[in-house]
Amino acid sequence: RKEVEQDPGPFNVPEGATVAFNCTYSNSASQSFFWYRQDCRKEPKLLMSVYSSGNEDGRFTAQLNRASQYISLLIRDSKLSDSATYLCVVKGGNTPLVFGKGTRLSVIA
Amino acid sequence: EAEVAQSPRYKITEKSQAVAFWCDPISGHATLYWYRQILGQGPELLVQFQDESVVDDSQLPKDRFSAERLKGVDSTLKIQPAELGDSAMYLCASSFGYNEQFFGPGTRLTVL
């Protein structure tokens, strides 16, 4: 089993739609969770950290379910500029970041 | 805004040749990482430095890859000899401690 698994997509959604991505992780000792965004042929950039209580940043909401070992990202009111690959990232205490393969999102006009 | 610098941005080489990539982290970031990202995959850590010391190089193919950060600032990743399967994006990242990692633009390597 991969350490971090994501549905690769692509998710093709119209502008204004709400879309959700899930990610599962295998290491129950994982402590930190993140969503990174990566545009085509660009470097990954931190979108948001994921906290146990869930957190929201504008149109983006991230949630963590430790019992089921998954994290989610919800994007409301999708914009064309949201088109990118979203990488789920998990980290242990002193262990390196472990990246999922990413989920590709295309927002269509 | 401070950024991680990498060069070259693109490198084409023939198999069995040597290649080297350079990274200059954000000033003050003691932790530096080299990742390899194959098309369609997430980045995979090759080596992590804390200042000039290697913290984790367990995934670095040491028969052909080497990395150094002699003065604890900029870093060089070398591949010798390059193989076809090394074609990928090589990303450098830096962080202040174990906080958010900031990535450079990457070096896209093509081995012919």
Side-chain angles (χ1 to χ4, degrees):
Chain A
R1 182 182 173 188
K2 297 282 187 185
E3 284 195 66
V4 179
E5 294 200 61
Q6 296 182 250
D7 181 343
F11 284 63
N12 299 313
V13 302
E15 271 187 293
T18 295
V19 61
F21 311 135
N22 286 333
C23 161
T24 58
Y25 60 95
S26 61
N27 186 353
S28 59
S30 299
Q31 297 181 8
S32 304
F33 308 89
F34 311 90
W35 284 101
Y36 274 70
R37 170 191 168 129
Q38 186 170 26
D39 293 302
C40 188
R41 297 183 176 274
K42 299 284 190 179
E43 71 274 22
K45 292 186 178 180
L46 180 66
L47 178 66
M48 57 196 306
S49 301
V50 186
Y51 303 121
S52 296
S53 55
N55 48 302
E56 187 174 310
D57 183 2
R59 298 181 294 108
F60 298 83
T61 300
Q63 291 191 315
L64 167 65
N65 184 319
R66 286 190 184 271
S68 300
Q69 294 184 205
Y70 79 83
I71 68 174
S72 64
L73 177 68
L74 181 78
I75 305 175
R76 290 181 299 278
D77 188 23
S78 299
K79 310 291 185 190
L80 294 175
S81 57
D82 294 334
S83 297
T85 296
Y86 291 84
L87 299 164
C88 172
V89 186
V90 172
K91 187 180 185 308
N94 287 325
T95 59
L97 296 182
V98 179
F99 287 78
K101 292 185 178 182
T103 297
R104 193 152 58 91
L105 170 67
S106 287
V107 181
I108 305 163
Chain B
E1 182 178 306
E3 295 180 340
V4 176
Q6 287 189 250
S7 67
R9 293 292 305 278
Y10 305 91
K11 179 69 178 178
I12 300 174
T13 191
E14 294 184 341
K15 62 180 181 179
S16 79
Q17 296 298 303
V19 292
F21 313 135
W22 177 79
C23 171
D24 191 12
I26 293 173
S27 177
H29 282 192
T31 312
L32 183 148
Y33 313 80
W34 282 102
Y35 289 88
R36 176 171 60 187
Q37 185 174 24
I38 295 169
L39 193 63
Q41 307 285 321
E44 293 182 319
L45 182 70
L46 291 174
V47 61
Q48 177 183 340
F49 288 93
Q50 183 67 29
D51 299 307
E52 67 277 7
S53 301
V54 173
V55 172
D56 184 347
D57 63 355
S58 57
Q59 300 302 311
L60 188 71
K62 298 180 186 66
D63 57 334
R64 297 184 300 106
F65 286 64
S66 64
E68 60 183 19
R69 193 184 184 198
L70 295 177
K71 296 183 180 179
V73 181
D74 58 337
S75 175
T76 302
L77 178 70
K78 297 179 182 178
I79 308 174
Q80 182 174 19
E83 295 181 353
L84 295 177
D86 296 332
S87 295
M89 173 80 89
Y90 290 83
L91 292 159
C92 178
S94 71
S95 67
F96 184 75
Y98 291 104
N99 295 326
E100 177 186 352
Q101 293 185 20
F102 294 85
F103 284 83
T107 295
R108 185 170 296 279
L109 173 67
T110 301
V111 182
L112 303 175

Short mmCIF file of all heavy atoms in Angstrom, two decimals, chain A residues 6-13 19-22 35-41 75 82-88 100-107, chain B residues 39-40:
data_model
loop_
_atom_site.label_atom_id
_atom_site.label_comp_id
_atom_site.label_asym_id
_atom_site.label_seq_id
_atom_site.Cartn_x
_atom_site.Cartn_y
_atom_site.Cartn_z
N GLN A 6 -4.00 9.13 -3.63
CA GLN A 6 -4.95 10.10 -4.13
C GLN A 6 -5.53 9.61 -5.44
O GLN A 6 -4.85 8.91 -6.21
CB GLN A 6 -4.27 11.45 -4.43
CG GLN A 6 -3.68 12.17 -3.27
CD GLN A 6 -3.10 13.50 -3.71
OE1 GLN A 6 -1.88 13.70 -3.73
NE2 GLN A 6 -3.96 14.43 -4.07
N ASP A 7 -6.75 10.01 -5.73
CA ASP A 7 -7.34 9.77 -7.03
C ASP A 7 -6.68 10.73 -8.00
O ASP A 7 -6.73 11.94 -7.80
CB ASP A 7 -8.85 10.04 -6.96
CG ASP A 7 -9.56 9.79 -8.29
OD1 ASP A 7 -8.89 9.72 -9.34
OD2 ASP A 7 -10.79 9.67 -8.28
N PRO A 8 -6.02 10.23 -9.06
CA PRO A 8 -5.29 11.13 -9.95
C PRO A 8 -6.18 12.04 -10.79
O PRO A 8 -5.70 13.03 -11.34
CB PRO A 8 -4.49 10.17 -10.83
CG PRO A 8 -5.28 8.90 -10.81
CD PRO A 8 -5.88 8.83 -9.45
N GLY A 9 -7.48 11.69 -10.90
CA GLY A 9 -8.38 12.49 -11.72
C GLY A 9 -8.16 12.19 -13.19
O GLY A 9 -7.75 11.07 -13.53
N PRO A 10 -8.40 13.11 -14.12
CA PRO A 10 -8.72 14.51 -13.82
C PRO A 10 -10.17 14.72 -13.41
O PRO A 10 -11.04 13.98 -13.82
CB PRO A 10 -8.41 15.21 -15.14
CG PRO A 10 -8.69 14.18 -16.18
CD PRO A 10 -8.29 12.86 -15.57
N PHE A 11 -10.35 15.73 -12.59
CA PHE A 11 -11.68 16.20 -12.24
C PHE A 11 -11.95 17.40 -13.16
O PHE A 11 -11.23 18.39 -13.10
CB PHE A 11 -11.74 16.65 -10.78
CG PHE A 11 -11.78 15.53 -9.79
CD1 PHE A 11 -10.72 14.64 -9.68
CD2 PHE A 11 -12.87 15.34 -8.96
CE1 PHE A 11 -10.75 13.59 -8.76
CE2 PHE A 11 -12.91 14.31 -8.03
CZ PHE A 11 -11.86 13.43 -7.94
N ASN A 12 -12.94 17.26 -14.02
CA ASN A 12 -13.33 18.36 -14.91
C ASN A 12 -14.63 18.94 -14.41
O ASN A 12 -15.66 18.26 -14.42
CB ASN A 12 -13.48 17.85 -16.35
CG ASN A 12 -12.18 17.26 -16.88
OD1 ASN A 12 -11.13 17.87 -16.75
ND2 ASN A 12 -12.26 16.09 -17.49
N VAL A 13 -14.58 20.18 -13.94
CA VAL A 13 -15.78 20.79 -13.35
C VAL A 13 -16.04 22.14 -13.97
O VAL A 13 -15.10 22.83 -14.40
CB VAL A 13 -15.63 20.93 -11.81
CG1 VAL A 13 -15.36 19.57 -11.17
CG2 VAL A 13 -14.56 21.93 -11.44
N VAL A 19 -16.06 21.19 -5.61
CA VAL A 19 -15.36 19.92 -5.88
C VAL A 19 -14.60 19.52 -4.63
O VAL A 19 -14.13 20.38 -3.87
CB VAL A 19 -14.42 20.07 -7.09
CG1 VAL A 19 -13.35 21.11 -6.86
CG2 VAL A 19 -13.79 18.73 -7.47
N ALA A 20 -14.53 18.22 -4.40
CA ALA A 20 -13.83 17.71 -3.21
C ALA A 20 -12.85 16.62 -3.59
O ALA A 20 -13.16 15.77 -4.44
CB ALA A 20 -14.84 17.18 -2.19
N PHE A 21 -11.69 16.65 -2.96
CA PHE A 21 -10.68 15.62 -3.14
C PHE A 21 -10.42 14.94 -1.81
O PHE A 21 -10.38 15.60 -0.77
CB PHE A 21 -9.34 16.21 -3.61
CG PHE A 21 -9.43 17.15 -4.76
CD1 PHE A 21 -8.74 18.35 -4.73
CD2 PHE A 21 -10.17 16.85 -5.88
CE1 PHE A 21 -8.80 19.22 -5.79
CE2 PHE A 21 -10.24 17.71 -6.94
CZ PHE A 21 -9.56 18.92 -6.90
N ASN A 22 -10.22 13.64 -1.87
CA ASN A 22 -9.82 12.90 -0.67
C ASN A 22 -8.43 12.33 -0.85
O ASN A 22 -7.96 12.14 -1.97
CB ASN A 22 -10.80 11.76 -0.39
CG ASN A 22 -12.11 12.26 0.16
OD1 ASN A 22 -12.17 13.31 0.79
ND2 ASN A 22 -13.17 11.51 -0.10
N TRP A 35 -1.96 20.40 2.08
CA TRP A 35 -2.30 20.38 0.66
C TRP A 35 -1.37 21.37 -0.04
O TRP A 35 -1.25 22.53 0.37
CB TRP A 35 -3.75 20.77 0.43
CG TRP A 35 -4.72 19.68 0.76
CD1 TRP A 35 -5.48 19.57 1.89
CD2 TRP A 35 -5.05 18.55 -0.05
NE1 TRP A 35 -6.25 18.44 1.84
CE2 TRP A 35 -6.01 17.79 0.66
CE3 TRP A 35 -4.63 18.09 -1.30
CZ2 TRP A 35 -6.55 16.60 0.15
CZ3 TRP A 35 -5.16 16.91 -1.80
CH2 TRP A 35 -6.12 16.18 -1.08
N TYR A 36 -0.70 20.88 -1.08
CA TYR A 36 0.12 21.73 -1.94
C TYR A 36 -0.57 21.82 -3.29
O TYR A 36 -1.23 20.89 -3.74
CB TYR A 36 1.52 21.14 -2.14
CG TYR A 36 2.53 21.50 -1.08
CD1 TYR A 36 2.43 20.98 0.22
CD2 TYR A 36 3.60 22.34 -1.35
CE1 TYR A 36 3.37 21.31 1.19
CE2 TYR A 36 4.54 22.68 -0.40
CZ TYR A 36 4.42 22.15 0.88
OH TYR A 36 5.36 22.47 1.83
N ARG A 37 -0.36 22.94 -3.95
CA ARG A 37 -0.87 23.12 -5.31
C ARG A 37 0.34 23.17 -6.25
O ARG A 37 1.35 23.80 -5.95
CB ARG A 37 -1.65 24.44 -5.38
CG ARG A 37 -2.02 24.83 -6.77
CD ARG A 37 -2.54 26.25 -6.84
NE ARG A 37 -2.62 26.67 -8.24
CZ ARG A 37 -3.68 27.19 -8.79
NH1 ARG A 37 -4.78 27.42 -8.07
NH2 ARG A 37 -3.68 27.52 -10.06
N GLN A 38 0.21 22.50 -7.40
CA GLN A 38 1.28 22.54 -8.39
C GLN A 38 0.68 22.82 -9.76
O GLN A 38 -0.10 22.03 -10.28
CB GLN A 38 2.06 21.22 -8.41
CG GLN A 38 3.28 21.27 -9.33
CD GLN A 38 4.18 20.06 -9.17
OE1 GLN A 38 3.74 18.98 -8.78
NE2 GLN A 38 5.47 20.22 -9.45
N ASP A 39 1.07 23.95 -10.33
CA ASP A 39 0.66 24.28 -11.69
C ASP A 39 1.56 23.53 -12.67
O ASP A 39 2.69 23.12 -12.32
CB ASP A 39 0.74 25.78 -11.92
CG ASP A 39 -0.29 26.52 -11.09
OD1 ASP A 39 -1.49 26.23 -11.24
OD2 ASP A 39 0.08 27.37 -10.27
N CYS A 40 1.07 23.38 -13.90
CA CYS A 40 1.79 22.60 -14.90
C CYS A 40 3.21 23.13 -15.08
O CYS A 40 3.43 24.32 -15.32
CB CYS A 40 1.03 22.64 -16.22
SG CYS A 40 1.68 21.55 -17.47
N ARG A 41 4.19 22.25 -14.91
CA ARG A 41 5.60 22.56 -15.11
C ARG A 41 6.14 23.62 -14.14
O ARG A 41 7.12 24.30 -14.42
CB ARG A 41 5.87 22.98 -16.55
CG ARG A 41 5.57 21.87 -17.54
CD ARG A 41 5.90 22.26 -18.96
NE ARG A 41 5.69 21.14 -19.87
CZ ARG A 41 6.60 20.21 -20.12
NH1 ARG A 41 7.76 20.25 -19.56
NH2 ARG A 41 6.32 19.22 -20.96
N ILE A 75 -13.24 22.65 -2.48
CA ILE A 75 -13.12 23.95 -3.15
C ILE A 75 -14.53 24.37 -3.57
O ILE A 75 -15.20 23.66 -4.33
CB ILE A 75 -12.20 23.87 -4.40
CG1 ILE A 75 -10.83 23.31 -4.02
CG2 ILE A 75 -12.07 25.26 -5.02
CD1 ILE A 75 -9.92 23.09 -5.23
N ASP A 82 -8.21 27.95 -10.54
CA ASP A 82 -8.01 26.82 -9.62
C ASP A 82 -7.48 25.59 -10.35
O ASP A 82 -7.09 24.61 -9.70
CB ASP A 82 -9.32 26.45 -8.90
CG ASP A 82 -9.83 27.53 -7.97
OD1 ASP A 82 -9.00 28.32 -7.48
OD2 ASP A 82 -11.05 27.58 -7.75
N SER A 83 -7.48 25.62 -11.67
CA SER A 83 -6.99 24.47 -12.45
C SER A 83 -5.53 24.23 -12.12
O SER A 83 -4.68 25.10 -12.31
CB SER A 83 -7.16 24.74 -13.95
OG SER A 83 -8.51 24.87 -14.29
N ALA A 84 -5.23 23.04 -11.62
CA ALA A 84 -3.89 22.70 -11.17
C ALA A 84 -3.91 21.26 -10.68
O ALA A 84 -4.95 20.61 -10.70
CB ALA A 84 -3.44 23.62 -10.03
N THR A 85 -2.77 20.80 -10.22
CA THR A 85 -2.69 19.50 -9.55
C THR A 85 -2.57 19.77 -8.05
O THR A 85 -1.77 20.61 -7.63
CB THR A 85 -1.48 18.69 -10.04
OG1 THR A 85 -1.66 18.38 -11.42
CG2 THR A 85 -1.34 17.39 -9.25
N TYR A 86 -3.36 19.07 -7.28
CA TYR A 86 -3.38 19.25 -5.83
C TYR A 86 -2.72 18.04 -5.18
O TYR A 86 -3.16 16.91 -5.34
CB TYR A 86 -4.81 19.46 -5.35
CG TYR A 86 -5.35 20.79 -5.81
CD1 TYR A 86 -5.90 20.93 -7.09
CD2 TYR A 86 -5.25 21.93 -5.02
CE1 TYR A 86 -6.34 22.16 -7.55
CE2 TYR A 86 -5.70 23.16 -5.47
CZ TYR A 86 -6.24 23.27 -6.73
OH TYR A 86 -6.67 24.50 -7.19
N LEU A 87 -1.63 18.32 -4.45
CA LEU A 87 -0.83 17.27 -3.84
C LEU A 87 -1.15 17.15 -2.36
O LEU A 87 -1.09 18.13 -1.63
CB LEU A 87 0.66 17.58 -4.00
CG LEU A 87 1.20 17.69 -5.43
CD1 LEU A 87 2.55 18.38 -5.44
CD2 LEU A 87 1.32 16.30 -6.04
N CYS A 88 -1.47 15.95 -1.95
CA CYS A 88 -1.70 15.65 -0.53
C CYS A 88 -0.34 15.31 0.08
O CYS A 88 0.42 14.52 -0.49
CB CYS A 88 -2.66 14.48 -0.44
SG CYS A 88 -2.91 13.80 1.20
N GLY A 100 1.66 12.64 -2.12
CA GLY A 100 0.86 11.80 -2.99
C GLY A 100 1.18 12.14 -4.44
O GLY A 100 1.93 13.07 -4.72
N LYS A 101 0.58 11.38 -5.36
CA LYS A 101 0.83 11.62 -6.78
C LYS A 101 0.10 12.85 -7.30
O LYS A 101 0.40 13.35 -8.37
CB LYS A 101 0.41 10.41 -7.60
CG LYS A 101 1.26 9.18 -7.36
CD LYS A 101 0.86 8.06 -8.30
CE LYS A 101 1.74 6.84 -8.10
NZ LYS A 101 1.38 5.75 -9.04
N GLY A 102 -0.88 13.31 -6.54
CA GLY A 102 -1.61 14.49 -6.96
C GLY A 102 -2.93 14.17 -7.64
O GLY A 102 -3.09 13.10 -8.24
N THR A 103 -3.85 15.10 -7.52
CA THR A 103 -5.15 15.03 -8.20
C THR A 103 -5.25 16.22 -9.13
O THR A 103 -5.06 17.36 -8.71
CB THR A 103 -6.30 15.09 -7.18
OG1 THR A 103 -6.23 13.95 -6.33
CG2 THR A 103 -7.65 15.11 -7.90
N ARG A 104 -5.51 15.93 -10.39
CA ARG A 104 -5.56 17.01 -11.38
C ARG A 104 -6.97 17.56 -11.49
O ARG A 104 -7.94 16.81 -11.63
CB ARG A 104 -5.09 16.49 -12.72
CG ARG A 104 -4.81 17.60 -13.74
CD ARG A 104 -3.74 17.16 -14.74
NE ARG A 104 -4.09 15.95 -15.45
CZ ARG A 104 -4.74 15.92 -16.61
NH1 ARG A 104 -5.12 17.04 -17.18
NH2 ARG A 104 -5.01 14.77 -17.18
N LEU A 105 -7.07 18.88 -11.39
CA LEU A 105 -8.36 19.58 -11.50
C LEU A 105 -8.34 20.48 -12.72
O LEU A 105 -7.38 21.25 -12.89
CB LEU A 105 -8.62 20.41 -10.24
CG LEU A 105 -9.82 21.37 -10.31
CD1 LEU A 105 -11.14 20.58 -10.40
CD2 LEU A 105 -9.84 22.30 -9.11
N SER A 106 -9.37 20.38 -13.54
CA SER A 106 -9.58 21.32 -14.63
C SER A 106 -10.92 22.00 -14.44
O SER A 106 -11.95 21.32 -14.38
CB SER A 106 -9.56 20.61 -15.99
OG SER A 106 -8.28 20.22 -16.34
N VAL A 107 -10.90 23.30 -14.32
CA VAL A 107 -12.14 24.07 -14.21
C VAL A 107 -12.45 24.64 -15.58
O VAL A 107 -11.60 25.31 -16.19
CB VAL A 107 -12.02 25.19 -13.17
CG1 VAL A 107 -13.33 25.95 -13.05
CG2 VAL A 107 -11.62 24.61 -11.82
N LEU B 39 7.34 12.68 -14.08
CA LEU B 39 6.07 13.14 -14.63
C LEU B 39 4.91 12.25 -14.16
O LEU B 39 4.98 11.03 -14.25
CB LEU B 39 6.15 13.12 -16.16
CG LEU B 39 5.04 13.85 -16.90
CD1 LEU B 39 5.05 15.33 -16.57
CD2 LEU B 39 5.16 13.63 -18.40
N GLY B 40 3.88 12.88 -13.59
CA GLY B 40 2.72 12.14 -13.13
C GLY B 40 2.83 11.62 -11.71
O GLY B 40 1.92 10.95 -11.22
#
